[in-house]
Amino acid sequence: MTLTAVNTLSEEQKKKTSELAALCRDFDGSTLSFPAEDGDFFVLVFQDDVLACALALCRLEDCLCECAAFTRPSLRCRGYFSQALACAESHFPNDDFSFVTDGHCPAAAFVLKRLSAGFWYCEHMMRLDFAGWQPPVRPIPPAFSIEEDGRGHFSAWICGKKAGSCSTMPSGDSVYLWGLKIRAPFRGKGFGKAFLLQVLKHLETRTPSVLLQVAGDNTAALNLYKKTGFRITETLSYYLY
């Protein structure tokens, strides 16, 4: 067994980690990816020149890293992930690690249980398909308008005062919507739903669908998106170790 710890991956290492992640996704039915480009620290474990396990850490904040790892299905339960994790812990002894799972991989659930990792929170991935979409009927509030800056950022205005904002960016053949917020003085008056609907009507002519993420405990936002036509496509659960 050969273990390599690096801060950046070579092109050949990126290729091998990508192939391993694809193999694991096909085997488990998972949709998670390996952050070969965005990671801050990597541990690669080889057995006879075969990449057995790849682990990546992404710095989220001081003393907290998100950990992503894939182990070759035919080489699981042989301690490769344990070796990779021990190496990561030795380099970041004062950090907590956050693990994410989409619920498709029994091996991941087994490892999290063995680690006694505690549930932290969950996020829902949501999607709205414009084909056949019937937007809810919602009168536009008086003196309400939205503006787009040409770079995917939208602003809501009421009587000349900025009431809210959100951003969008391309995501494959879809558009990803994020950062939707209404300023405190304008909350609880239906402006959030009006703003979202107007943004969606702008996007309807540009893309077949819109994607977003919402925290599992944000009931108000989750209900808003559901009523607007979004559906949950996947739930990601985060655990702290």
Side-chain angles (χ1 to χ4, degrees), residues 195-239:
F195 182 32
L196 176 60
L197 285 172
Q198 292 304 306
V199 170
L200 291 175
K201 288 179 180 178
H202 275 70
L203 297 176
E204 186 177 10
T205 60
R206 312 176 193 175
T207 179
S209 59
V210 177
L211 311 174
L212 58 80
Q213 290 177 246
V214 59
D217 59 357
N218 192 344
T219 305
L222 183 59
N223 289 337
L224 169 62
Y225 296 136
K226 285 182 176 179
K227 290 178 181 178
T228 309
F230 284 87
R231 58 184 176 84
I232 295 175
T233 58
E234 186 177 47
T235 298
L236 301 178
S237 298
Y238 293 80
Y239 292 81

Side-chain angles (χ1 to χ4, degrees), residues 31-233:
T31 60
L32 300 179
S33 59
F34 188 80
E37 299 286 351
D38 304 323
D40 299 300
F41 181 78
F42 303 91
V43 181
L44 306 181
V45 184
F46 288 87
Q47 182 62 53
D48 298 329
D49 296 326
V50 174
L51 182 58
C53 178
L55 180 149
L57 295 182
C58 299
R59 172 68 67 188
L60 297 179
E61 56 187 63
D62 290 342
C63 296
L64 178 62
C65 293
E66 183 168 298
C67 182
F70 290 89
T71 301
R72 189 173 296 272
S74 62
L75 296 177
R76 291 175 180 174
C77 300
R78 300 188 187 186
Y80 296 116
F81 169 75
S82 296
Q83 293 287 334
L85 181 60
C87 177
E89 289 182 286
S90 70
H91 282 78
F92 299 87
N94 299 317
D95 283 48
D96 290 328
F97 292 170
S98 167
F99 292 91
V100 59
T101 175
D102 58 9
H104 292 295
C105 179
F110 174 79
V111 168
L112 291 171
K113 185 176 181 179
R114 286 287 299 271
L115 292 175
S116 297
F119 176 76
W120 186 14
Y121 72 100
C122 69
E123 283 188 342
H124 299 299
M125 314 294 291
M126 305 189 76
R127 178 187 183 100
L128 184 149
D129 292 303
F130 285 123
W133 180 56
Q134 295 294 327
V137 177
R138 183 79 182 187
I140 299 177
F144 177 88
S145 63
I146 71 169
E147 292 181 356
E148 184 182 5
D149 67 358
R151 295 175 296 173
H153 304 298
F154 291 85
S155 299
W157 297 84
I158 299 174
C159 297
K161 297 181 179 180
K162 189 173 181 178
S165 60
C166 73
S167 299
T168 62
M169 63 181 184
S171 179
D173 61 354
S174 299
V175 167
Y176 181 79
L177 186 150
W178 58 279
L180 177 68
K181 57 185 177 182
I182 297 295
R183 297 177 62 189
F186 302 97
R187 293 173 187 165
K189 302 176 182 179
F191 294 133
K193 187 172 185 179
F195 182 32
L196 176 60
L197 285 172
Q198 292 304 306
V199 170
L200 291 175
K201 288 179 180 178
H202 275 70
L203 297 176
E204 186 177 10
T205 60
R206 312 176 193 175
T207 179
S209 59
V210 177
L211 311 174
L212 58 80
Q213 290 177 246
V214 59
D217 59 357
N218 192 344
T219 305
L222 183 59
N223 289 337
L224 169 62
Y225 296 136
K226 285 182 176 179
K227 290 178 181 178
T228 309
F230 284 87
R231 58 184 176 84
I232 295 175
T233 58

